[in-house]
């Protein structure tokens, strides 16, 4: 396991070209919920092997999932963090991306990298990625796998079809936790193709699975974000 700092972490962009002395802040030992629904989400992740967190942008779905993943890793309840999401461009083409798989996925993984860096520090995240403790697993490479003793974060799940979600959710192995996050109202797929809402509806009756729905009241970004969401719906 990688030795982690107990006091401070460097909080900088993950790109190698940046100086790790650029910015510093106190290490975030704990993350506390800022709304009642966020508290429900955190407790759901603690008590269930699988949690679906649905809600609009800015409600902290991904950040809380990452925080719980780091907590589980530090407590040695899991041996690695596996992160996956669909590679869907939001209305614009980025063209060919050079580099290895981690570098190709970097634009899509930026929100999760930022959250990991906030908890562990950018240097630590890069080292853990190199050692496989943090694994970036594109959706296309997940078929046929069984992921055990891991904390799996499935981000932007609204951009997956029902069949893709079915394939992904059945990857869950022993001693693993899976958190699926997404906003069913903000899919980049053609109308009717997103399978997130349907998957949540079908899975909600199962005792071992939690479905947590956050609302605009849980948005913790700039106050204008919460004000804009109803008008842009």
């Amino acid at each position: 396991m990688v030795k982690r700092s107990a006091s401070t972490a460097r909080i900088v962009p993950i790109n190698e070209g940046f100086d790790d002395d650029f910015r510093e802040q106190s290490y975030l030992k704990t993350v506390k919920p800022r709304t009642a629904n966020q508290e429900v989400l955190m407790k759901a992740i603690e008590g269930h092997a699988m949690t679906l967190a649905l809600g609009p942008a800015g409600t902290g779905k991904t950040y809380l999932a990452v925080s719980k993943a780091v907590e589980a890793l530090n407590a040695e309840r899991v041996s690695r963090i596996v992160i996956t999401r669909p590679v869907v461009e939001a209305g614009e083409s980025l063209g060919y991306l050079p580099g290895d798989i981690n570098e190709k996925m970097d634009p899509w993984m930026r929100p999760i990298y930022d959250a990991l860096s906030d908890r562990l520090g950018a240097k630590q995240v890069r080292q853990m990625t190199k050692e496989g403790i943090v694994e970036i697993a594109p959706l296309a490479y997940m078929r046929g796998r069984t992921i055990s003793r891991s904390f799996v974060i499935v981000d932007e799940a609204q951009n997956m079809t029902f069949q893709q979600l079915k394939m992904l959710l059945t990857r869950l192995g022993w001693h693993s936790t899976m958190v699926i996050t997404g906003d069913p109202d903000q899919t980049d797929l053609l109308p009717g193709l997103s399978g997130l809402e349907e998957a949540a509806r079908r899975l909600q009756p199962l005792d071992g699975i939690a479905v947590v729905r956050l609302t605009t009241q849980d948005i913790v970004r700039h106050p204008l974000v919460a004000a804009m969401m109803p008008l842009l719906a």
Side-chain angles (χ1 to χ4, degrees):
M1 298 291 289
V2 177
K3 185 177 180 181
R4 299 174 180 81
S5 171
S7 57
T8 61
R10 305 294 184 182
I11 310 300
V12 297
I14 199 168
N15 303 66
E16 292 286 354
F18 286 85
D19 184 356
D20 281 321
D21 292 326
F22 175 72
R23 186 157 55 99
E24 183 176 347
Q25 73 176 43
S26 296
Y27 177 80
L28 297 176
K29 293 182 179 179
T30 59
V31 172
K32 296 181 179 179
R34 296 178 61 180
T35 70
N37 282 337
Q38 286 187 348
E39 184 174 6
V40 169
L41 175 57
M42 294 181 76
K43 289 182 178 179
I45 295 172
E46 292 171 0
H48 297 80
M50 183 178 293
T51 300
L52 286 80
L54 282 61
T59 52
K61 304 180 300 294
T62 299
Y63 192 89
L64 293 178
V66 169
S67 297
K68 284 299 180 184
V70 171
E71 182 181 300
L73 187 66
N74 284 335
E76 299 185 350
R77 294 194 298 270
V78 298
S79 60
R80 60 180 172 163
I81 299 172
V82 179
I83 305 162
T84 188
R85 59 164 293 172
V87 179
V88 178
E89 295 167 348
E92 56 183 324
S93 176
L94 297 177
Y96 171 76
L97 294 174
D100 60 22
I101 191 64
N102 289 332
E103 292 169 325
K104 291 178 187 294
M105 290 292 293
D106 186 76
W108 286 272
M109 293 296 176
R110 176 57 50 187
I112 295 180
Y113 279 141
D114 289 345
L116 282 169
S117 296
D118 203 28
R119 300 304 316 283
L120 297 169
K123 277 186 177 180
Q124 192 81 307
V125 175
R126 284 198 298 269
Q127 184 63 31
M128 293 167 72
T129 302
K130 289 178 181 177
E131 296 182 3
I133 298 172
V134 172
E135 178 188 350
I136 307 304
L139 178 63
Y141 294 0
M142 294 292 283
R143 187 176 298 278
R145 296 185 61 181
T146 299
I147 305 174
S148 299
R149 196 166 170 71
S150 302
F151 195 110
V152 186
I153 299 173
V154 182
D155 198 35
E156 298 291 336
Q158 76 274 3
N159 288 329
M160 298 181 187
T161 66
F162 182 81
Q163 290 302 318
Q164 286 175 324
L165 274 166
K166 179 179 177 181
M167 178 275 292
L168 186 59
L169 299 182
T170 53
R171 302 306 95 203
L172 186 68
W174 290 103
H175 309 295
S176 285
T177 296
M178 182 180 288
V179 179
I180 302 96
T181 70
D183 178 4
D185 295 327
Q186 207 173 38
T187 178
D188 296 314
L189 300 179
L190 293 174
L193 288 183
S194 175
L196 179 58
E197 190 65 57
E198 177 69 7
R201 183 185 65 81
R202 294 195 189 190
L203 295 175
Q204 190 154 7
L206 292 179
D207 291 336
I209 297 178
V211 178
V212 179
R213 297 181 182 275
L214 297 100
T215 70
T216 54
Q217 302 301 314
D218 301 300
I219 292 176
V220 292
R221 291 180 181 167
H222 193 286
L224 276 177
V225 175
M228 287 189 296
M229 291 306 294
L231 302 177
L232 297 176

